[in-house]
Amino acid sequence: MVDMEWYRTFKTIYQVGTLTGAAQELLISQPNVSQHLSALEAHVGKQLFERKPRRMVPTDYGKLFYTQVIDAIEKLEYIEAEFRYTRSSNIPLTCIGTSKEFFYSILASNISQAPANLVFEFCPTKELMQKLNSGKLYFVITSSRNDEKDIVYEPIRTANLLLVGNKEFDTTEFDLFITNSEFDKAEKWLCDKDWYAYSSDLAIIRRFWLENFKKRPTIKPRFVIPDYNSILKGIRFGSGITIASDYLVQDDIDQHHIKEIWKGHHPTQNTIYLAYNKNNVTTDQIEMVKKLLR
């Protein structure tokens, strides 16, 4: 009969890469790790790892086996985690996916007031939505929406996109172009500057550009950094400009760490949604998360 711990041990060896590391991760002895692996290999009738002096290298079958079992293992671990949280308390467990920046700017100061145990995950929106659809997350905070079955998107916040830069940045010429409605010259001025971008596809910058210049941006960012906190720190202590949501930059603007350069002659807004599967969450959970977001 297969012991589920064999599968957990296999997953950990695969991800950590050594028997010693797997033992430390699982809080069991290294001989027990070796025993679990040997028993699983005997059960499946295949070698799952090539044993090298400092590394356990998965065989071709081991790689295939991992892809076949990892979803089931992780789903079981989520169920176990939820049981551990709820077994000794009436407080529910709520798993929420969002960006690090949104968590830091909006949620971090409120979570201690939540009548629940909260587990947060930070990763790209596409991956968060996959976890929401598979039931591994209860809620996702996102600025994009799709048409998935049973997924509800409730708008929770409207953010304005702002052009910001270093507080010492000289924008006299740009301001004059804007005052005189010389937007072609303003665009050229912007294109000549050092840009920070969150992603290579320039998604946020592109939205701002289309709204205000009626065309796609031709800028080539000097820095692409998938973390707005790092971008803002780079601008604060260096130079350059970026476009970001107001809730991410307002504190830095108020404290004169950076400055607002332009709101745009047409406000560019970004709607943020609370996404959830209506079949997987209770009304109390929905209201609790919405209260955190106010």
Side-chain angles (χ1 to χ4, degrees):
M1 185 175 178
V2 180
D3 187 332
M4 290 304 299
E5 287 302 312
W6 300 352
Y7 290 104
R8 196 193 306 270
T9 300
F10 166 74
K11 183 204 80 166
T12 307
I13 297 171
Y14 193 99
Q15 294 178 345
V16 174
T18 65
L19 296 177
T20 301
Q24 293 171 347
E25 184 80 14
L26 295 167
L27 301 178
I28 61 177
S29 67
Q30 184 172 325
N32 278 342
V33 170
S34 298
Q35 185 179 23
H36 289 177
L37 177 59
S38 297
L40 183 60
E41 288 180 325
H43 179 74
V44 300
K46 298 283 187 179
Q47 183 178 352
L48 299 174
F49 292 96
E50 182 180 350
R51 292 152 174 82
K52 295 195 172 183
R54 296 185 179 179
R55 193 79 181 167
M56 297 289 284
V57 180
T59 63
D60 287 343
Y61 187 83
K63 295 176 183 177
L64 176 63
F65 189 70
Y66 179 83
T67 61
Q68 290 176 329
V69 301
I70 186 60
D71 283 346
I73 295 172
E74 289 187 342
K75 183 170 287 189
L76 177 61
E77 288 176 342
Y78 267 85
I79 293 171
E80 288 180 340
E82 182 170 1
F83 178 74
R84 285 197 301 272
Y85 272 110
T86 58
R87 178 175 56 186
S88 59
S89 173
N90 292 325
I91 300 176
L93 172 70
T94 300
C95 304
I96 304 172
T98 185
S99 67
K100 288 186 292 184
E101 299 90 345
F102 189 90
F103 174 84
Y104 181 81
S105 300
I106 305 299
L107 290 171
S109 59
N110 296 331
I111 59 173
S112 63
Q113 304 170 20
N117 295 304
L118 302 178
V119 175
F120 288 93
E121 288 205 25
F122 307 139
C123 50
T125 299
K126 183 177 180 181
E127 187 175 339
L128 292 176
M129 292 305 300
Q130 289 173 345
K131 292 186 176 185
L132 181 68
N133 283 309
S134 66
K136 294 178 180 178
L137 289 174
Y138 296 170
F139 297 94
V140 168
I141 299 166
T142 176
S143 59
S144 60
R145 58 178 298 170
N146 300 305
D147 293 322
E148 302 103 329
K149 182 182 178 182
D150 296 327
I151 302 297
V152 175
Y153 290 87
E154 287 196 37
I156 55 171
R157 178 180 290 262
T158 299
N160 292 308
L161 300 183
L162 302 178
L163 174 65
V164 296
N166 182 277
K167 65 179 181 179
E168 305 297 338
F169 205 65
D170 184 1
T171 60
T172 305
E173 189 177 20
F174 176 79
D175 295 338
L176 185 61
F177 291 147
I178 295 301
T179 299
N180 295 333
S181 298
E182 297 177 292
F183 296 113
D184 287 345
K185 292 182 179 179
E187 182 193 16
K188 184 178 184 306
W189 187 92
L190 290 174
C191 289
D192 290 338
K193 307 308 173 189
D194 289 338
W195 277 87
Y196 286 75
Y198 186 82
S199 59
S200 298
D201 63 4
L202 307 180
I204 296 296
I205 297 172
R206 187 171 64 247
R207 285 199 57 204
F208 188 89
W209 226 264
L210 287 169
E211 187 66 43
N212 290 284
F213 299 115
K214 309 305 178 186
K215 63 174 74 170
R216 291 177 176 271
T218 57
I219 66 170
K220 294 181 179 178
R222 184 176 178 191
F223 308 103
V224 177
I225 307 171
D227 181 89
Y228 271 115
N229 294 329
S230 299
I231 288 175
L232 296 177
K233 189 169 184 178
I235 289 174
R236 176 182 173 184
F237 292 102
S239 62
I241 55 180
T242 195
I243 291 169
S245 297
D246 52 7
Y247 68 85
L248 294 175
V249 300
Q250 197 59 56
D251 282 348
D252 278 328
I253 292 172
D254 292 342
Q255 296 173 36
H256 305 291
H257 294 156
I258 62 174
K259 73 174 183 178
E260 178 187 314
I261 297 174
W262 192 36
K263 288 184 172 70
H265 61 87
H266 291 300
T268 307
Q269 295 186 324
N270 206 20
T271 302
I272 300 171
Y273 300 94
L274 179 65
Y276 56 88
N277 187 319
K278 62 184 180 182
N279 299 317
N280 293 347
V281 294
T282 66
T283 302
D284 287 344
Q285 283 179 306
I286 296 170
E287 290 304 313
M288 183 269 296
V289 174
K290 288 164 72 172
K291 186 176 180 180
L292 285 178
L293 294 166
R294 292 187 186 126

